[in-house]
Amino acid sequence: MNKVKEIKAMTYVACNLCGSNDYTVRFEQGVAQVNQIVNCKACGLMYANPRSTEVDSVLIENYDPEFVLSAIVNQDSQRLEKEALQVKDYEKTRAFLHKHYPQKGKLIEVGSGLGYLLNFFKQDGWNVVGLEPNVGMCRYAESEFGIEIIPTILEKAELEDRSADAVLMMHVIEHVSDPCSTLKEVYRILKPGGIFVMETPRYDTLIFKLLGKRERSLSCDGHIYFFTTTTLEKLATKAGFTVLKTDYVGRSLTLDRLFYNLGVVSKSQVIKQILKDVAVKLHLNKISLYLNTRDMERIYLKKPDSGSA
């Protein structure tokens, strides 16, 4: 019965970049992650197809906010530590935006999580607003940093045309069902000349060639689009943006998080548990490092000065 239900809940989609329905199967369902992963024959975009028409369990907007908030504060300290630690990884992005907007302005973050990154830009003088469908996370950001967070996704936020000077979207685009429409919505809310900074894993890397189905980001069931430098830039220009530059970036992480990622790569529950036990025993959450395997891209985009909404 469960298998029948699963098949009914799956749907095939055309390539989001070029609209083609012609593809080759890269990884069968269950090999790399829960979805089958394909490559578009026409443009090369890699994506999950078919994929579930439903979010796991219930929509994140419907999670009880008090339960989520309690879990974040009392149980999931790793999420707090992760966001707080990785803020410093965006110092170059803050400097880039400061250079373009020395007087600052309005900055919107799509998928603002617990608000640590948004607060980092608030401290630099930006008037910040976040969008985050997880209400518990919204409440945390509002109480901890005094930041306005709208508890919804971008497409439902009903933001005004040309209302933002800058938009950030870190590790969101790989999760959305229609990346092209999401980028067009960002284009709509940006003022002409506005800057859009987006970050996502990339798959034109040595790491991906070596690991294949074991690659860490590929293994995440919530990821449904898998970009290369070329396909991400094509998606951005299709939405109307000009590409200013692309950086291949790393991230700060604790050693216990590194051990967790190694467990994911192993695709072995036994190895995963051993690494977790070692990390706990040695208190590896107290040790952090910066690691750059060039498997993530941060792309800086601009809405043309004469751009229309």
Side-chain angles (χ1 to χ4, degrees):
M1 286 295 290
N2 287 340
K3 191 174 274 189
V4 173
K5 252 186 184 178
E6 196 174 306
I7 292 172
K8 283 184 178 179
M10 303 295 282
T11 183
Y12 284 87
V13 294
C15 175
N16 193 254
L17 180 55
C18 71
S20 173
N21 284 298
D22 196 9
Y23 59 80
T24 57
V25 176
R26 189 69 176 268
F27 300 103
E28 297 281 358
Q29 182 182 18
V31 172
Q33 57 150 270
V34 66
N35 295 305
Q36 174 176 274
I37 297 175
V38 305
N39 273 111
C40 176
K41 283 187 177 180
C43 69
L45 179 66
M46 189 162 67
Y47 60 101
N49 191 34
R51 58 179 182 251
S52 174
T53 56
E54 303 167 359
V55 179
D56 293 341
S57 62
V58 293
L59 288 173
I60 196 168
E61 294 99 317
N62 295 332
Y63 287 176
D64 176 61
E66 295 302 330
F67 171 80
V68 172
L69 190 56
S70 175
I72 291 166
V73 175
N74 300 317
Q75 300 169 35
D76 193 9
S77 61
Q78 190 180 71
R79 176 63 191 252
L80 292 173
E81 292 167 357
K82 179 175 179 286
E83 282 202 27
L85 179 64
Q86 291 175 357
V87 160
K88 61 186 177 183
D89 299 339
Y90 295 93
E91 288 178 350
K92 288 184 178 179
T93 297
R94 193 166 79 163
F96 181 91
L97 289 181
H98 175 79
K99 181 179 178 181
H100 282 77
Y101 287 98
Q103 303 304 316
K104 307 305 185 293
K106 184 175 182 179
L107 181 146
I108 294 172
E109 184 183 6
V110 180
S112 52
L114 298 173
Y116 282 88
L117 183 60
L118 207 51
N119 185 56
F120 184 60
F121 284 87
K122 177 185 176 183
Q123 291 171 337
D124 199 38
W126 287 90
N127 172 24
V128 301
V129 175
L131 299 177
E132 172 56 55
N134 188 308
V135 178
M137 290 185 179
C138 294
R139 290 189 181 176
Y140 180 89
E142 289 167 348
S143 62
E144 190 73 13
F145 305 116
I147 294 172
E148 178 190 356
I149 309 291
I150 304 172
T152 190
I153 60 174
L154 174 62
E155 289 78 3
K156 295 181 180 179
E158 298 182 351
L159 299 173
E160 293 182 10
D161 292 353
R162 306 185 179 199
S163 58
D165 297 285
V167 174
L168 305 178
M169 191 164 69
M170 309 304 184
H171 295 273
V172 172
I173 197 66
E174 64 269 24
H175 295 272
V176 303
S177 60
D178 187 350
C180 190
S181 292
T182 297
L183 263 60
K184 286 178 179 178
E185 183 67 2
V186 173
Y187 188 94
R188 182 186 68 78
I189 67 172
L190 266 176
K191 297 176 182 178
I195 304 294
F196 175 35
V197 187
M198 177 170 49
E199 185 175 301
T200 187
R202 60 182 280 250
Y203 298 90
D204 48 341
T205 66
L206 178 60
I207 290 288
F208 182 50
K209 287 179 181 177
L210 292 173
L211 295 179
K213 66 181 182 181
R214 297 179 183 273
E215 200 276 339
R216 174 185 59 86
S217 296
L218 190 77
S219 300
C220 177
D221 291 341
H223 291 183
I224 54 177
Y225 285 94
F226 312 91
F227 296 98
T228 62
T229 304
T230 299
T231 55
L232 189 64
E233 290 185 354
K234 283 182 177 179
L235 187 75
T237 54
K238 180 180 179 181
F241 291 102
T242 299
V243 178
L244 299 179
K245 68 169 182 168
T246 298
D247 290 339
Y248 300 138
V249 299
R251 61 172 39 172
S252 298
L253 72 167
T254 54
L255 278 184
D256 69 325
R257 185 67 184 178
L258 177 60
F259 273 40
Y260 170 81
N261 289 338
L262 291 174
V264 171
V265 169
S266 75
K267 289 198 176 292
S268 165
Q269 290 303 317
V270 173
I271 293 175
K272 210 171 180 181
Q273 188 60 51
I274 291 172
L275 290 171
K276 182 179 179 180
D277 292 343
V278 170
V280 171
K281 186 175 182 179
L282 298 179
H283 303 287
L284 296 185
N285 64 315
K286 303 298 182 184
I287 305 170
S288 63
L289 73 159
Y290 179 80
L291 183 64
N292 188 358
T293 56
R294 296 172 63 83
D295 63 342
M296 294 189 296
E297 53 188 317
R298 189 178 303 162
I299 186 169
Y300 293 79
L301 307 166
K302 182 179 180 181
K303 179 174 179 176
D305 293 307
S306 59
S308 58

